[in-house]
Amino acid sequence: MNTKVNIAGVEWKNPITTASGTFGSGMEYSEFVDLSKLGAVTTKGVAAIPWAGNPTPRIAETSSGMLNAIGLQNPGVDVFLDRDLPFLKQFDTNIIVNVVGKTTEDYCKVVECLADSDVDMLEINISCPNVKEGGIAFGQSCTSVEAITKEIKKYAKQPIIMKLSPNVTDITEMARAAEAGGADALSLINTITGMKIDVHKRAFVLANKTGGLSGPAVKPVAVRMVYQVANAVNIPIIGMGGIMTGEDALEFLMAGATAVAVGTANFINPMATMDILKGIEDYMMKYRMEDIHELIGCVK
Amino acid sequence: MTATFKKSVTITSVDKLSIDIYSMWIQDKEIVSAAKPGQFLSLYCKSGDRLLPRPISICEIDKKNHALRLVYRIAGKGTEEISHYTVSDRIEVMGPLGNGFTLEGKKAILVGGGIGIPPMLELAKQLSCEKTVVLGYRDVTFLDSEFIPYGQVYISTEDGSVGTKGNVIDAIKENKLEADIIFACGPTPMLRGVKAYANEHGIKAQLSMEERMACGIGACLACVCKSKDTDHHSNVKNKRICKDGPVFYADEIEI
Ligand SMILES: Cc1cc2nc3c(=O)[nH]c(=O)nc-3n(C[C@H](O)[C@H](O)[C@H](O)COP(=O)(O)OP(=O)(O)OC[C@H]3O[C@@H](n4cnc5c(N)ncnc54)[C@H](O)[C@@H]3O)c2cc1C
Ligand SMILES: Cc1cc2nc3c(=O)[nH]c(=O)nc-3n(C[C@H](O)[C@H](O)[C@H](O)COP(=O)(O)O)c2cc1C
Ligand code: FES
């Protein structure tokens, strides 16, 4: 049975990665999951300098989902290179670094710092709803998506995955803009901006007032967007949003994603990535499929 | 590194201690042999609607019977669901999580406020030095009689119905309690009071903190508190309560 996929020239042993921000740099989850069994590990967003993130409460539970406003707390690219990258190199998996910044120059600085490192791919987070300067703004207009993609491509030595925001009127326009800017792949969706109010305290639950919705509650939106984008561009897609089981992952593959990322599910089940992979393999066995490519985009 | 387990365990006893306060024993060899006072478990609801774990402190550890006690208050839908579980039901848990208390000192005061009282019980059992226990309640008391074998117990209630009228600091002052270390778990205003009191008297304090959690193992950065110095892991002044805590020395953190 073949579960190998190829994303922008990088071969993955299977189509499973972790969704940025839900898996740290893999260290904590390595107690539960053999990281070498993942197609790739995608890290928490990394910035040029350390970011302290938002005040707490940073998360809230919602029906079949959660809101987060972590605010991209991260130790900065230097600590990433000194500590996290050597850790990840011990495993036989691809390393995808999620890159964040407040300005185009910030993004380019991180990309430049990582250019000669042992990182396999870069995922550019132009879609985090939890930082005020930049962040989301880049992901919400076609001109800025194309411009920042082009700029980053000048510095990047690894394939570039542009991570798209669902908080737009037409996600296919953003996808085409990223492709026009030279993106090698796309990932979607990031979280959907939401809000929760504590009626007893008559106050916002999150210190940041708004947060990003993730988990099973967003899955139908995510599948729809992956399907639309798959029909709009010719670059591979990493699909995500509420994947909890193998069947959930199959929906994304059938909608046109070449690979999938598992996020919120890790919090409920630290072995979720492995259970999802097994779910896909069991499905292929049941339907006597030789190659995972028979599934990718099979629903037209 | 200490071992952490994620598994379904059996509930071996369930009791209602007071209005909305429940006690539950669970059984599991691996989790119990790794457990220490001040650590906690993440409990998972059966309802797929409620995804996130409920962090609950370890109240008592019975190594011989591989059993562990949790005492919790119904605070919302998740704990409400759990309060309906009965003996021989199974519950999904992860743990033990966090660092736990460091057993130290010659003369200790153990301070518990409200639903911060449960973790002080196993600490009282394991801490061998001279100790007094101060428990703060709004009105109705629970678990207080179970501390009696381990030290003198002082109580404060907001309405003055039992013990000192006021808070735990009022009870410490009224009874002129002395110590070289304070261990405390309870609401943030209480911890702030304990920190100030410890500072004033030049004594150490270990405080057990609370925050909303998602992963429970230090990966998601949901549960941070402010630290005095730049943290080695985060490289900013934030510590993870689930991983670096929940117990911190009072002078390590800003509350
Ligand atoms: C380290 C630690 C130890 C704890 N030990 C105990 C204990 O021994 N006994 C006890 O009764 N309670 C304890 N708590 C508080 C307990 O976790 C919450 O009361 C419980 O999660 C509420 O869940 P719910 O579904 O009933 O409430 P809901 O309001 O429906 O919960 C919604 C979400 O918010 C989270 N949440 C709500 N209140 C809190 C809170 N105070 N702290 C953290 N998360 C919260 C829930 O986990 C859930 O994800 C502890 C908290 C922490 C962080
Ligand atoms: C706690 C948390 C932190 C996140 N941090 C990041 C981040 O740093 N960078 C990023 O691009 N996406 C981040 N995300 C978004 C996820 O990578 C993913 O796009 C989204 O959660 C949808 O997938 P899921 O429903 O499987 O979680 C975060 C999500 C969560 C829940
Ligand atoms: S709950 Fe995820 S870091 Fe503490």
Side-chain angles (χ1 to χ4, degrees):
Chain A
M1 188 195 306
N2 175 46
T3 56
K4 280 197 204 99
V5 294
N6 187 301
I7 310 235
V10 180
E11 184 169 282
W12 295 22
K13 64 180 67 150
N14 63 58
I16 310 283
T17 187
T18 54
S20 174
T22 64
F23 210 74
S25 287
M27 221 170 279
E28 294 79 14
Y29 279 99
S30 65
E31 207 181 322
F32 298 93
V33 177
D34 175 1
L35 304 185
S36 299
K37 297 212 164 104
L38 291 167
V41 171
T42 306
T43 71
K44 173 78 187 160
V46 174
I49 54 164
W51 286 10
N54 288 328
T56 56
R58 288 178 168 186
I59 56 162
E61 190 178 62
T62 60
S63 295
S64 304
M66 64 177 285
L67 291 169
N68 91 81
I70 307 294
L72 294 171
Q73 179 186 323
N74 78 91
V77 68
D78 294 342
V79 168
F80 177 81
L81 285 170
D82 289 349
R83 178 187 65 198
D84 297 358
L85 188 56
F87 169 80
L88 284 168
K89 285 312 295 175
Q90 299 170 270
F91 301 93
D92 175 24
T93 188
N94 292 304
I95 302 167
I96 304 177
V97 178
N98 184 274
V99 177
V100 297
K102 289 175 178 156
T103 61
T104 305
E105 294 73 52
D106 281 355
Y107 281 97
C108 292
K109 211 179 280 172
V110 180
V111 169
E112 209 176 0
C113 285
L114 296 170
D116 294 312
S117 72
D118 264 339
V119 165
D120 299 287
M121 307 182 88
L122 301 177
E123 180 181 58
I124 312 299
N125 177 9
I126 48 164
S127 51
C128 182
N130 301 323
V131 286
K132 294 202 179 67
E133 312 146 73
I136 192 86
F138 290 109
Q140 283 176 326
S141 98
C142 297
T143 28
S144 62
V145 169
E146 187 174 339
I148 194 172
T149 310
K150 259 192 192 140
E151 201 54 30
I152 284 170
K153 281 296 287 181
K154 288 187 196 155
Y155 296 89
K157 294 196 183 155
Q158 293 92 345
I160 291 295
I161 306 159
M162 296 306 282
K163 185 163 180 182
L164 302 182
S165 169
N167 304 308
V168 293
T169 313
D170 183 354
I171 197 163
T172 61
E173 288 180 6
M174 304 302 146
R176 286 197 194 95
E179 187 180 37
D184 301 289
L186 299 174
S187 60
L188 61 146
I189 61 173
N190 207 316
T191 54
I192 303 176
T193 307
M195 179 180 279
K196 184 174 180 179
I197 290 173
D198 182 330
V199 296
H200 302 291
K201 293 187 182 150
R202 294 177 203 155
F204 301 105
V205 173
L206 298 173
N208 190 53
K209 295 185 186 172
T210 60
L213 184 65
S214 65
V218 308
K219 197 191 77 183
V221 178
V223 173
R224 182 263 293 177
M225 288 186 164
V226 165
Y227 175 79
Q228 288 179 316
V229 170
N231 285 294
V233 297
N234 292 311
I235 47 179
I237 296 168
I238 303 169
M240 70 192 83
I243 297 175
M244 305 288 280
T245 65
E247 285 198 11
D248 294 338
L250 287 161
E251 281 195 58
F252 282 84
L253 297 176
M254 290 181 190
T258 303
V260 294
V262 178
T264 302
N266 295 303
F267 304 152
I268 292 92
N269 171 14
M271 287 82 90
T273 44
M274 290 301 105
D275 293 352
I276 289 163
L277 176 59
K278 180 161 186 306
I280 295 174
E281 288 169 350
D282 288 350
Y283 179 94
M284 289 174 66
M285 209 106 82
K286 180 173 168 194
Y287 290 97
R288 298 176 199 283
M289 289 186 164
E290 287 301 318
D291 193 321
I292 193 137
H293 291 86
E294 294 170 48
L295 289 165
I296 296 170
C298 73
V299 176
K300 297 288 180 204
Chain B
M1 192 189 280
T2 51
T4 306
F5 306 92
K6 168 79 169 28
K7 62 205 299 193
S8 165
V9 300
T10 306
I11 297 170
T12 53
S13 109
V14 175
D15 282 299
K16 186 170 176 173
L17 301 184
S18 165
I19 313 160
D20 287 348
I21 309 272
Y22 288 79
S23 168
M24 160 168 103
W25 283 90
I26 59 162
Q27 204 166 38
D28 183 73
K29 200 171 177 173
E30 288 175 320
I31 294 177
V32 174
S33 47
K36 292 189 296 186
Q39 289 187 303
F40 65 95
L41 297 188
S42 275
L43 310 190
Y44 298 82
C45 297
K46 292 189 184 16
S47 162
D49 192 25
R50 291 185 276 281
L51 296 175
L52 298 180
R54 273 61 186 166
I56 301 290
S57 302
I58 294 169
C59 173
E60 277 191 87
I61 305 165
D62 175 355
K63 297 237 164 169
K64 200 169 81 222
N65 295 304
H66 311 304
L68 188 151
R69 186 188 193 190
L70 305 169
V71 170
Y72 63 93
R73 172 191 283 147
I74 297 185
K77 292 204 185 107
T79 44
E80 154 82 25
E81 179 195 308
I82 294 164
S83 74
H84 295 297
Y85 298 176
T86 54
V87 173
S88 81
D89 277 355
R90 295 179 75 79
I91 180 170
E92 189 76 18
V93 306
M94 180 155 73
L97 299 171
N99 58 355
F101 291 107
T102 305
L103 304 181
E104 61 177 344
K106 293 197 181 71
K107 197 170 178 189
I109 307 177
L110 278 59
V111 179
I115 206 59
I117 291 171
M120 307 319 286
L121 188 55
E122 183 61 28
L123 177 66
K125 284 166 66 177
Q126 292 200 18
L127 195 64
S128 53
C129 71
E130 193 187 326
K131 58 198 170 247
T132 49
V133 179
V134 180
L135 307 176
Y137 300 90
R138 190 166 299 143
D139 38 43
V140 185
T141 68
F142 61 89
L143 278 184
D144 44 324
S145 59
E146 301 195 35
F147 282 88
I148 292 170
Y150 312 109
Q152 184 74 36
V153 179
Y154 299 91
I155 289 174
S156 71
T157 48
E158 282 173 22
D159 62 358
S161 55
V162 189
T164 303
K165 180 172 164 47
N167 62 30
V168 290
I169 302 295
D170 297 323
I172 292 174
K173 287 181 179 159
E174 183 173 293
N175 297 290
K176 301 190 169 55
L177 303 183
E178 284 179 357
D180 60 13
I181 184 155
I182 302 182
F183 297 88
C185 182
T188 306
M190 184 198 98
L191 296 180
R192 220 173 268 141
V194 169
K195 178 174 175 169
Y197 183 88
N199 238 341
E200 235 171 79
H201 293 77
I203 54 182
K204 268 202 217 176
Q206 292 186 29
L207 310 179
S208 179
M209 305 273 289
E210 200 179 89
E211 190 46 77
R212 275 153 210 264
M213 295 182 178
C215 70
I217 58 172
C220 76
L221 309 178
C223 68
V224 299
C225 63
K226 294 257 156 259
S227 56
K228 190 166 142 271
D229 300 319
T230 299
D231 174 62
H232 76 94
H233 175 84
S234 69
N235 202 23
V236 292
K237 290 180 177 180
N238 278 345
K239 285 190 180 290
R240 299 162 296 176
I241 291 177
C242 68
K243 179 89 179 176
D244 310 311
V247 181
F248 296 98
Y249 283 107
D251 57 12
E252 280 181 282
I253 49 169
E254 312 276 358
I255 52 171

